[in-house]
Amino acid sequence: MQTALLAKVSNKYRRTDLPEIRIGDTIRVHVKIKEGDKERLQAFEGMVIARKNAGLGETITVRKSSFGHGVERIFPLSAPVVDHIDVVRTGRVRRAKLYYMRGLRGKAARLRERE
Amino acid sequence: MIPGILGKKIGMTQVFGPEGQVVPVTLLKTGPCVVTQRKTPASDGYDAVQLGLVEFVKASRISKPASGHLKKAGVDGAKYQRELRLGRGDRDLKPGDRVLVDEFRPRDKVDITGVSKGRGFAGFVKRHHFRGGDASHGSMFHRAPGSIGGSSYPSRVFPGMRAAGQMGSQQVTVRNLEVIEVDADDHVLMVKGAVPGPNGGYVVVRRAKR
């Protein structure tokens, strides 16, 4: 019964509007950014290389290459700052964490598309 | 206003605040409680209510004197009973009155008392955060206390010297926790931060003294 009450809270804050995101997918995350009293969306496009935790604390790590430098951002999936997520491209991978991508660049850092 | 309420810790999780920030919260199953006795200055010398947390208790688990006491308030089972002092601004409660969590509002501040998790007979490092020595490199001094006093002067150990001993399983109060949400249907109170004790442990929620 106690876990049921915890589940009730998690269901209330849980988001259901996000698409299915798999490891290796290239996604575009639209983040709400507040500038003064105005709010705008900023997109961050990159490859999902890790997915951690479960429930309300679930996060994804998105990696992209920006002017030759690797940039990674960790997004909490249930956070309201994430406005929406587009899946740009799928990727076929054989492991859950793609940390080996950090050592690869350019053509070597490509993934085959998932069927 | 009610002075406070009794409850049971459900567990912790996290929610998102209005600005999108992560808020660590503890869920408490608070109430329904029933006033089992009213103490008045005339009869007892002070003003207080005795609350019982209403929950399912096997009849054989309650002694006959206790069940008689509960019956007077019209309660079947209450394992956890605590007394709360009544102060100014508190509602006058009578035996048999129900105390529910819906009298708390988000942004209220509460003090929460519980019995902390028992750590048994704990050493210096765990109990008082002493640093201890190196684990290797021939150190020969690992988790021992070090010097606890001089040999010629004072040639005794000063009272109150921090030492190994029982840690936890003692009453702890955390003050000024913010109420985040109140779920009156399920009698659930959500407060910001951690609450002493294990999940399933009993707690007293009082309005913050400040």
Side-chain angles (χ1 to χ4, degrees), chain B residues 38-57:
Chain B
R38 180 67 217 277
K39 305 218 167 176
T40 57
S43 59
D44 305 277
Y46 62 99
D47 219 6
V49 282
Q50 188 186 68
L51 293 182
L53 179 63
V54 177
E55 56 186 337
F56 175 74
V57 188

PDB file of all heavy atoms in Angstrom, chain B residues 38-57:
ATOM      1  N   ARG B  38      -8.477  14.193  26.483  1.00  0.00           N
ATOM      2  CA  ARG B  38      -8.258  15.632  26.522  1.00  0.00           C
ATOM      3  C   ARG B  38      -7.729  15.957  27.904  1.00  0.00           C
ATOM      4  O   ARG B  38      -8.354  15.611  28.906  1.00  0.00           O
ATOM      5  CB  ARG B  38      -9.590  16.337  26.254  1.00  0.00           C
ATOM      6  CG  ARG B  38      -9.555  17.825  26.267  1.00  0.00           C
ATOM      7  CD  ARG B  38      -8.731  18.352  25.100  1.00  0.00           C
ATOM      8  NE  ARG B  38      -7.993  19.522  25.520  1.00  0.00           N
ATOM      9  CZ  ARG B  38      -8.509  20.737  25.556  1.00  0.00           C
ATOM     10  NH1 ARG B  38      -9.714  20.951  25.150  1.00  0.00           N
ATOM     11  NH2 ARG B  38      -7.783  21.742  25.987  1.00  0.00           N
ATOM     12  N   LYS B  39      -6.563  16.594  27.972  1.00  0.00           N
ATOM     13  CA  LYS B  39      -6.008  16.970  29.272  1.00  0.00           C
ATOM     14  C   LYS B  39      -6.205  18.463  29.454  1.00  0.00           C
ATOM     15  O   LYS B  39      -5.877  19.253  28.571  1.00  0.00           O
ATOM     16  CB  LYS B  39      -4.529  16.608  29.331  1.00  0.00           C
ATOM     17  CG  LYS B  39      -4.301  15.148  29.014  1.00  0.00           C
ATOM     18  CD  LYS B  39      -3.229  14.540  29.859  1.00  0.00           C
ATOM     19  CE  LYS B  39      -3.288  13.029  29.722  1.00  0.00           C
ATOM     20  NZ  LYS B  39      -2.198  12.371  30.451  1.00  0.00           N
ATOM     21  N   THR B  40      -6.764  18.820  30.581  1.00  0.00           N
ATOM     22  CA  THR B  40      -7.091  20.224  30.824  1.00  0.00           C
ATOM     23  C   THR B  40      -6.344  20.722  32.055  1.00  0.00           C
ATOM     24  O   THR B  40      -5.946  19.929  32.918  1.00  0.00           O
ATOM     25  CB  THR B  40      -8.598  20.390  31.066  1.00  0.00           C
ATOM     26  OG1 THR B  40      -8.968  19.549  32.156  1.00  0.00           O
ATOM     27  CG2 THR B  40      -9.399  20.036  29.840  1.00  0.00           C
ATOM     28  N   PRO B  41      -6.146  22.042  32.145  1.00  0.00           N
ATOM     29  CA  PRO B  41      -5.479  22.595  33.332  1.00  0.00           C
ATOM     30  C   PRO B  41      -6.205  22.210  34.612  1.00  0.00           C
ATOM     31  O   PRO B  41      -5.572  22.014  35.654  1.00  0.00           O
ATOM     32  CB  PRO B  41      -5.529  24.108  33.093  1.00  0.00           C
ATOM     33  CG  PRO B  41      -5.693  24.265  31.634  1.00  0.00           C
ATOM     34  CD  PRO B  41      -6.456  23.078  31.153  1.00  0.00           C
ATOM     35  N   ALA B  42      -7.538  22.098  34.546  1.00  0.00           N
ATOM     36  CA  ALA B  42      -8.298  21.789  35.754  1.00  0.00           C
ATOM     37  C   ALA B  42      -7.998  20.382  36.252  1.00  0.00           C
ATOM     38  O   ALA B  42      -7.758  20.166  37.443  1.00  0.00           O
ATOM     39  CB  ALA B  42      -9.799  21.933  35.454  1.00  0.00           C
ATOM     40  N   SER B  43      -7.982  19.413  35.348  1.00  0.00           N
ATOM     41  CA  SER B  43      -7.841  18.027  35.795  1.00  0.00           C
ATOM     42  C   SER B  43      -6.397  17.540  35.775  1.00  0.00           C
ATOM     43  O   SER B  43      -6.014  16.687  36.572  1.00  0.00           O
ATOM     44  CB  SER B  43      -8.702  17.114  34.927  1.00  0.00           C
ATOM     45  OG  SER B  43      -8.304  17.247  33.582  1.00  0.00           O
ATOM     46  N   ASP B  44      -5.576  18.063  34.853  1.00  0.00           N
ATOM     47  CA  ASP B  44      -4.234  17.518  34.714  1.00  0.00           C
ATOM     48  C   ASP B  44      -3.128  18.551  34.924  1.00  0.00           C
ATOM     49  O   ASP B  44      -1.954  18.203  34.939  1.00  0.00           O
ATOM     50  CB  ASP B  44      -4.071  16.911  33.312  1.00  0.00           C
ATOM     51  CG  ASP B  44      -5.134  15.886  33.008  1.00  0.00           C
ATOM     52  OD1 ASP B  44      -4.968  14.742  33.422  1.00  0.00           O
ATOM     53  OD2 ASP B  44      -6.152  16.245  32.390  1.00  0.00           O
ATOM     54  N   GLY B  45      -3.515  19.826  35.004  1.00  0.00           N
ATOM     55  CA  GLY B  45      -2.510  20.857  35.231  1.00  0.00           C
ATOM     56  C   GLY B  45      -1.916  21.423  33.968  1.00  0.00           C
ATOM     57  O   GLY B  45      -1.102  22.332  34.011  1.00  0.00           O
ATOM     58  N   TYR B  46      -2.282  20.889  32.820  1.00  0.00           N
ATOM     59  CA  TYR B  46      -1.810  21.458  31.568  1.00  0.00           C
ATOM     60  C   TYR B  46      -2.808  21.135  30.471  1.00  0.00           C
ATOM     61  O   TYR B  46      -3.691  20.311  30.634  1.00  0.00           O
ATOM     62  CB  TYR B  46      -0.417  20.942  31.214  1.00  0.00           C
ATOM     63  CG  TYR B  46      -0.326  19.454  30.998  1.00  0.00           C
ATOM     64  CD1 TYR B  46      -0.345  18.921  29.723  1.00  0.00           C
ATOM     65  CD2 TYR B  46      -0.226  18.586  32.078  1.00  0.00           C
ATOM     66  CE1 TYR B  46      -0.258  17.551  29.524  1.00  0.00           C
ATOM     67  CE2 TYR B  46      -0.152  17.223  31.895  1.00  0.00           C
ATOM     68  CZ  TYR B  46      -0.167  16.705  30.618  1.00  0.00           C
ATOM     69  OH  TYR B  46      -0.099  15.359  30.428  1.00  0.00           O
ATOM     70  N   ASP B  47      -2.609  21.820  29.336  1.00  0.00           N
ATOM     71  CA  ASP B  47      -3.567  21.744  28.245  1.00  0.00           C
ATOM     72  C   ASP B  47      -2.965  20.890  27.124  1.00  0.00           C
ATOM     73  O   ASP B  47      -1.951  21.263  26.556  1.00  0.00           O
ATOM     74  CB  ASP B  47      -3.818  23.166  27.720  1.00  0.00           C
ATOM     75  CG  ASP B  47      -5.266  23.389  27.368  1.00  0.00           C
ATOM     76  OD1 ASP B  47      -6.067  22.481  27.639  1.00  0.00           O
ATOM     77  OD2 ASP B  47      -5.577  24.457  26.813  1.00  0.00           O
ATOM     78  N   ALA B  48      -3.587  19.760  26.843  1.00  0.00           N
ATOM     79  CA  ALA B  48      -3.031  18.908  25.788  1.00  0.00           C
ATOM     80  C   ALA B  48      -4.107  17.982  25.253  1.00  0.00           C
ATOM     81  O   ALA B  48      -5.154  17.798  25.865  1.00  0.00           O
ATOM     82  CB  ALA B  48      -1.860  18.078  26.313  1.00  0.00           C
ATOM     83  N   VAL B  49      -3.830  17.425  24.079  1.00  0.00           N
ATOM     84  CA  VAL B  49      -4.688  16.369  23.540  1.00  0.00           C
ATOM     85  C   VAL B  49      -3.850  15.123  23.351  1.00  0.00           C
ATOM     86  O   VAL B  49      -2.675  15.189  23.015  1.00  0.00           O
ATOM     87  CB  VAL B  49      -5.316  16.724  22.171  1.00  0.00           C
ATOM     88  CG1 VAL B  49      -6.477  17.642  22.318  1.00  0.00           C
ATOM     89  CG2 VAL B  49      -4.289  17.259  21.209  1.00  0.00           C
ATOM     90  N   GLN B  50      -4.484  13.987  23.574  1.00  0.00           N
ATOM     91  CA  GLN B  50      -3.833  12.724  23.286  1.00  0.00           C
ATOM     92  C   GLN B  50      -4.419  12.218  21.969  1.00  0.00           C
ATOM     93  O   GLN B  50      -5.631  12.060  21.857  1.00  0.00           O
ATOM     94  CB  GLN B  50      -4.105  11.736  24.409  1.00  0.00           C
ATOM     95  CG  GLN B  50      -3.324  10.454  24.302  1.00  0.00           C
ATOM     96  CD  GLN B  50      -3.759   9.477  25.368  1.00  0.00           C
ATOM     97  OE1 GLN B  50      -4.871   8.989  25.330  1.00  0.00           O
ATOM     98  NE2 GLN B  50      -2.888   9.223  26.320  1.00  0.00           N
ATOM     99  N   LEU B  51      -3.545  12.029  20.987  1.00  0.00           N
ATOM    100  CA  LEU B  51      -4.014  11.575  19.681  1.00  0.00           C
ATOM    101  C   LEU B  51      -3.662  10.107  19.485  1.00  0.00           C
ATOM    102  O   LEU B  51      -2.653   9.620  19.995  1.00  0.00           O
ATOM    103  CB  LEU B  51      -3.344  12.374  18.553  1.00  0.00           C
ATOM    104  CG  LEU B  51      -3.685  13.844  18.420  1.00  0.00           C
ATOM    105  CD1 LEU B  51      -2.953  14.419  17.232  1.00  0.00           C
ATOM    106  CD2 LEU B  51      -5.168  14.046  18.264  1.00  0.00           C
ATOM    107  N   GLY B  52      -4.513   9.422  18.745  1.00  0.00           N
ATOM    108  CA  GLY B  52      -4.218   8.046  18.349  1.00  0.00           C
ATOM    109  C   GLY B  52      -4.277   7.962  16.841  1.00  0.00           C
ATOM    110  O   GLY B  52      -5.188   8.508  16.224  1.00  0.00           O
ATOM    111  N   LEU B  53      -3.279   7.305  16.247  1.00  0.00           N
ATOM    112  CA  LEU B  53      -3.269   7.126  14.795  1.00  0.00           C
ATOM    113  C   LEU B  53      -4.145   5.926  14.458  1.00  0.00           C
ATOM    114  O   LEU B  53      -3.855   4.803  14.865  1.00  0.00           O
ATOM    115  CB  LEU B  53      -1.840   6.900  14.300  1.00  0.00           C
ATOM    116  CG  LEU B  53      -1.656   6.669  12.807  1.00  0.00           C
ATOM    117  CD1 LEU B  53      -2.080   7.892  12.016  1.00  0.00           C
ATOM    118  CD2 LEU B  53      -0.215   6.337  12.501  1.00  0.00           C
ATOM    119  N   VAL B  54      -5.230   6.178  13.735  1.00  0.00           N
ATOM    120  CA  VAL B  54      -6.181   5.117  13.430  1.00  0.00           C
ATOM    121  C   VAL B  54      -5.610   4.227  12.334  1.00  0.00           C
ATOM    122  O   VAL B  54      -5.285   4.690  11.247  1.00  0.00           O
ATOM    123  CB  VAL B  54      -7.533   5.709  12.974  1.00  0.00           C
ATOM    124  CG1 VAL B  54      -8.487   4.589  12.577  1.00  0.00           C
ATOM    125  CG2 VAL B  54      -8.137   6.548  14.069  1.00  0.00           C
ATOM    126  N   GLU B  55      -5.437   2.950  12.642  1.00  0.00           N
ATOM    127  CA  GLU B  55      -4.994   1.993  11.641  1.00  0.00           C
ATOM    128  C   GLU B  55      -5.495   0.624  12.060  1.00  0.00           C
ATOM    129  O   GLU B  55      -5.987   0.445  13.173  1.00  0.00           O
ATOM    130  CB  GLU B  55      -3.470   1.999  11.491  1.00  0.00           C
ATOM    131  CG  GLU B  55      -2.739   1.735  12.772  1.00  0.00           C
ATOM    132  CD  GLU B  55      -1.236   1.898  12.636  1.00  0.00           C
ATOM    133  OE1 GLU B  55      -0.733   1.791  11.522  1.00  0.00           O
ATOM    134  OE2 GLU B  55      -0.578   2.125  13.652  1.00  0.00           O
ATOM    135  N   PHE B  56      -5.348  -0.340  11.163  1.00  0.00           N
ATOM    136  CA  PHE B  56      -5.835  -1.666  11.502  1.00  0.00           C
ATOM    137  C   PHE B  56      -4.891  -2.326  12.503  1.00  0.00           C
ATOM    138  O   PHE B  56      -3.700  -2.468  12.260  1.00  0.00           O
ATOM    139  CB  PHE B  56      -5.952  -2.542  10.257  1.00  0.00           C
ATOM    140  CG  PHE B  56      -6.330  -3.944  10.593  1.00  0.00           C
ATOM    141  CD1 PHE B  56      -7.636  -4.246  10.978  1.00  0.00           C
ATOM    142  CD2 PHE B  56      -5.389  -4.956  10.573  1.00  0.00           C
ATOM    143  CE1 PHE B  56      -7.989  -5.535  11.314  1.00  0.00           C
ATOM    144  CE2 PHE B  56      -5.745  -6.250  10.907  1.00  0.00           C
ATOM    145  CZ  PHE B  56      -7.054  -6.540  11.284  1.00  0.00           C
ATOM    146  N   VAL B  57      -5.433  -2.705  13.647  1.00  0.00           N
ATOM    147  CA  VAL B  57      -4.661  -3.416  14.651  1.00  0.00           C
ATOM    148  C   VAL B  57      -5.474  -4.629  15.077  1.00  0.00           C
ATOM    149  O   VAL B  57      -6.672  -4.520  15.325  1.00  0.00           O
ATOM    150  CB  VAL B  57      -4.390  -2.532  15.899  1.00  0.00           C
ATOM    151  CG1 VAL B  57      -3.436  -3.239  16.824  1.00  0.00           C
ATOM    152  CG2 VAL B  57      -3.855  -1.182  15.500  1.00  0.00           C
TER     153      VAL B  57
END
